[in-house]
Amino acid sequence: MAEARYQPVTIRYDRRLSGLRLSVLACLSSGLLLTGVMSAWGFPAVVLPELTINITTLPQLTINTTTLPQLTAITTTLHLSPSQASWFASIPLFMCMAGSMLGGLVCERVGPRRLQLYTSPFLCLTFLATYMASWQVIQEAGAALTLLMVSRVGQGAVVALMVPTINSYFCEVSDPRHRGTVTSLAGFWGSLGLLLCYLLGCFVRWYTAAWIIPLVTIVPSFLGLMVALESPSWLLRKGRKAEAVTNLHRLRSSSEVAKKELADIEKSLTKNTNSFFQSLKLLKKRDKFIPILISIFMFVTREFSGIAAIAIYIVNFFKIAGVGLNPFWSSVVVGSARMAGNFLGAVLLRHLSRRYLLVGGGCLSSAALAALGTFYFLQDKGHDLSQLNWLPLMSFVFYALGITVGITPASYLVVLEIIPGPVRALGLGIATTTYALSAFLVVKTVNDAQTVLGSCGLFWSYSAGCAIIVLFVLIFVPKPRKRSPEDIEN
């Protein structure tokens, strides 16, 4: 009898553990894939310092070459002009302009899990194409540059398809009690991808990094996704209720949680029945159009604060500073600060107003970039800055913290909250497309802006972008904390 009495407890515990394992496996697999995707986005940080370097200026560089293999054994005949380098860095962002809208449509067609499985091998092939560009036979045939650019186009297409897919998959397979935390950690996986690029740059050549990145991120992610379950929400949207119910019961800790979530999903599907054209007609109304306009401006000003440009060109920025610190190891420190900021931002979002985080993060980032611009200005004037060799590194660290703790997570959440439900999907697509356009323009014109404005002017302009975010939030963005969605829309 005693054995029978304790048996239900054991069964309930095993079911909870199984659901937790499956949910964690799905989120970890998608997170690792996001790391690979963002590594593709940040890969120019490894490539450009070597392929755009001017060999004649090597003796003038104040870099410890014993710890930077990129500068000690340059044997490749492949070199990129400033214009070619800017395209290499910005092509994925250009592809995201159209792909950000297309990604959601393709995801809805084939399912988030299957789309990740289908595109993962293609992303591996793009990295392989990058590696092949280092082969002597390819370079002698004059096809190396073409292969590099084609691989970047392919990586951009995959990034555009995967980013919205992974974000939705996070949300739909995670337990409702942990959904906010899991979703907010998407930034952590992205920062891990950038950090991986910076770290590999400390030890290996760019073409070696091209096959290490997919080996440690995309391949294990693919194996995990083969075992993971499809999104129950997507299955319900496709009328496959029996499979959705089965997956919900396997992913959740108890049948009661699964039944409640099933009812919530079905209720949401009956409410959100607007077609694309119906949502488009609703944009004529001022209360629907203005929130989308606010979201667009927030995303655009956020990118004009230099988020994408600094992440991609940070190694070159440290080289220009010439303060005797290893550019790649300095970038690793900044990348680690980004990851720490992602964790801290996820915690603070649960306790602080979005406006406080946006304003605080914007002020911190603006001050850090202003200090960095002043450093470059004094350097150009010939002042002795040997006592301030720590300033560029600390400025980038504080900038990264301001961005990841405040601006990035809070801006996404505010956009989700202020766009009315009937036009939310369309509004997010429009805002994401304009974000990709602005990020592309900023990254593509870094070298041109630096030539015209100088390094000091470039960072002062980024600092102004952060300050504009602060002013815009204070004037135009409502206070959504502790208000219902209906109140926020009003």
Side-chain angles (χ1 to χ4, degrees):
M1 294 292 296
E3 199 175 10
R5 189 178 358 183
Y6 288 107
Q7 190 175 6
V9 177
T10 304
I11 291 174
R12 198 178 311 154
Y13 173 77
D14 287 341
R15 185 182 299 164
R16 183 187 306 118
L17 188 61
S18 175
L20 178 62
R21 283 175 176 171
L22 288 171
S23 179
V24 168
L25 173 65
C27 292
L28 285 178
S29 300
S30 274
L32 201 55
L33 182 57
L34 183 58
T35 298
V37 168
M38 294 307 293
S39 296
W41 182 69
F43 192 55
V46 183
V47 177
L48 297 185
E50 180 175 353
L51 295 190
T52 60
I53 193 166
N54 185 351
I55 305 296
T56 60
T57 63
L58 279 177
Q60 303 172 11
L61 293 175
T62 58
I63 298 176
N64 183 2
T65 57
T66 61
T67 59
L68 193 58
Q70 280 78 3
L71 302 182
T72 59
I74 297 178
T75 57
T76 179
T77 60
L78 176 63
H79 298 288
L80 302 178
S81 68
S83 176
Q84 292 167 343
S86 66
W87 277 112
F88 183 84
S90 60
I91 280 177
L93 293 167
F94 180 81
M95 297 295 295
C96 283
M97 282 190 285
S100 57
M101 297 287 285
L102 183 62
L105 296 175
V106 176
C107 176
E108 192 62 24
R109 178 81 175 182
V110 303
R113 172 183 165 271
R114 280 200 297 173
L115 181 58
Q116 292 174 75
L117 282 173
Y118 293 162
T119 51
S120 294
F122 184 73
L123 184 58
C124 287
L125 288 176
T126 63
F127 275 107
L128 178 61
T130 303
Y131 171 71
M132 290 171 60
S134 68
W135 293 358
Q136 186 176 358
V137 62
I138 299 293
Q139 295 183 22
E140 289 177 352
L145 179 60
T146 301
L147 195 58
L148 275 181
M149 295 303 178
V150 169
S151 70
R152 292 298 284 169
V153 170
Q155 287 171 356
V158 174
V159 169
L161 291 174
M162 278 192 176
V163 170
T165 302
I166 294 173
N167 287 332
S168 65
Y169 190 67
F170 275 149
C171 184
E172 293 172 358
V173 299
S174 57
D175 191 280
R177 295 171 299 175
H178 311 298
R179 187 164 292 158
T181 302
V182 170
T183 305
S184 64
L185 288 177
F188 160 79
W189 292 108
S191 295
L192 181 60
L194 296 175
L195 179 60
L196 178 62
C197 290
Y198 305 151
L199 197 58
L200 287 174
C202 298
F203 299 104
V204 299
R205 301 288 297 274
W206 63 272
Y207 46 81
T208 305
W211 62 260
I212 292 179
I213 289 173
L215 187 64
V216 300
T217 59
I218 304 169
V219 172
S221 169
F222 180 82
L223 297 176
L225 285 168
M226 289 183 69
V227 183
L229 299 176
E230 186 56 89
S231 159
S233 298
W234 179 80
L235 291 170
L236 271 177
R237 292 195 298 271
K238 293 300 176 182
R240 297 158 61 176
K241 185 172 181 178
E243 295 177 64
V245 171
T246 300
N247 284 7
L248 268 178
H249 279 271
R250 294 183 64 189
L251 286 167
R252 300 300 175 249
S253 58
S254 67
S255 59
E256 290 77 13
V257 173
K259 289 177 181 178
K260 182 180 183 304
E261 186 170 351
L262 179 65
D264 291 340
I265 295 173
E266 289 180 327
K267 182 180 178 181
S268 174
L269 290 178
T270 58
K271 287 178 62 178
N272 300 323
T273 57
N274 281 353
S275 67
F276 174 81
F277 294 104
Q278 288 173 326
S279 299
L280 203 59
K281 290 179 181 178
L282 289 175
L283 292 184
K284 297 177 181 178
K285 298 182 179 180
R286 185 177 182 276
D287 62 328
K288 303 296 188 296
F289 175 73
I290 294 299
I292 294 177
L293 194 61
I294 292 175
S295 303
I296 291 172
F297 192 83
M298 183 177 294
F299 276 174
V300 169
T301 52
R302 195 186 71 179
E303 288 311 309
F304 276 92
S305 66
I307 295 179
I310 290 176
I312 292 174
Y313 284 97
I314 188 168
V315 178
N316 281 340
F317 290 147
F318 276 120
K319 281 171 54 180
I320 295 171
V323 293
L325 300 177
N326 183 286
F328 278 99
W329 279 114
S330 299
S331 302
V332 168
V333 173
V334 177
S336 301
R338 286 180 66 102
M339 289 181 58
N342 290 131
F343 278 114
L344 183 59
V347 173
L348 292 179
L349 269 176
R350 301 171 63 91
H351 303 287
L352 294 179
S353 164
R354 290 81 161 113
R355 283 165 59 90
Y356 290 158
L357 288 174
L358 282 168
V359 171
C363 289
L364 179 61
S365 299
S366 181
L369 292 177
L372 188 61
T374 302
F375 176 89
Y376 283 112
F377 175 78
L378 295 176
Q379 186 183 65
D380 291 341
K381 295 298 182 181
H383 292 275
D384 181 15
L385 302 178
S386 57
Q387 300 300 315
L388 295 176
N389 59 353
W390 52 269
L391 184 59
L393 177 59
M394 295 309 299
S395 295
F396 279 123
V397 166
F398 282 114
Y399 168 78
L401 289 174
I403 290 295
T404 54
V405 173
I407 292 179
T408 299
S411 62
Y412 270 120
L413 197 53
V414 166
V415 167
L416 285 172
E417 290 175 329
I418 66 174
I419 297 180
V423 293
R424 183 165 293 139
L426 177 61
L428 283 173
I430 295 173
T432 304
T433 301
T434 55
Y435 142 76
L437 172 61
S438 56
F440 164 73
L441 292 174
V442 171
V443 173
K444 180 68 176 69
T445 58
V446 165
N447 292 326
D448 297 328
Q450 202 166 9
T451 301
V452 175
L453 303 174
S455 296
C456 59
L458 179 69
F459 287 105
W460 281 338
S461 67
Y462 292 160
S463 175
C466 295
I468 291 173
I469 293 176
V470 174
L471 294 175
F472 184 77
V473 169
L474 291 174
I475 296 173
F476 293 106
V477 177
K479 300 178 181 179
R481 184 169 170 79
K482 295 181 180 179
R483 293 184 180 183
S484 68
E486 291 78 13
D487 290 338
I488 294 172
E489 288 184 19
N490 291 335

